[in-house]
Amino acid sequence: MTVEAGERAARAERVRAVASGLRDQRGALLPILHAVQAEFGHIDQADLPVLADVLNLSVAEVHGVVTFYSDFRNTSPGRVHLRICRAEACQAVGAEALAEHASAGLGVGFGETTADGAVTLDQVFCLGNCALGPTVQVGERLHGRVNPARLDAILAEAAR
Ligand code: FES
């Protein structure tokens, strides 16, 4: 077995174990997907048949759920994960300009990662910090009242 095939087999086994551990929950697919993504950074195409098998669903059903929710990624995120809130309250105070600044500065669109793997840009619709918008999340940390200059500083800090 090649190293790559061995890694694939090990991942499939681990995904099966995670899914088996949670499958008795109500609406088990979502918590399972979150758990797999938390462990591996993304949901791989190869995970779908394993999850379908454990949950007795079709691969198409699992695929439908994964692609419906923008929270699930099909590639690993960059070293810095930037999420910009584009919901109404943040939009009203400049989130769109901030989003355009981020996208132009990084040279990527939402859901994409810079070519060097440094930053993944994502959008999110409300981070629960509406009174202090525009809000962004970098990794686990929320930042409020972010303008373009401040965003650049936050990213520079996160990259260190
Ligand atoms: S609308 Fe942006 S944090 Fe709620």
Side-chain angles (χ1 to χ4, degrees), residues 20-97:
S20 300
L22 295 171
R23 80 172 143 206
D24 293 333
Q25 281 193 18
R26 230 185 141 131
L29 181 54
L30 284 178
I32 288 170
L33 289 170
H34 281 292
V36 170
Q37 181 157 288
E39 185 158 333
F40 293 100
H42 71 286
I43 310 289
D44 198 87
Q45 199 64 24
D47 299 336
L48 306 188
V50 179
L51 297 175
D53 184 44
V54 173
L55 294 172
N56 206 15
L57 297 169
S58 70
V59 174
E61 284 171 302
V62 178
H63 181 261
V65 171
V66 170
T67 50
F68 180 79
Y69 293 99
S70 60
D71 272 0
F72 298 122
R73 317 187 47 76
N74 59 12
T75 55
S76 289
R79 292 184 290 284
V80 173
H81 191 184
L82 167 64
R83 304 202 302 165
I84 298 183
C85 176
R86 297 180 80 190
E88 212 170 302
C90 285
Q91 274 204 26
V93 289
E96 282 312 294

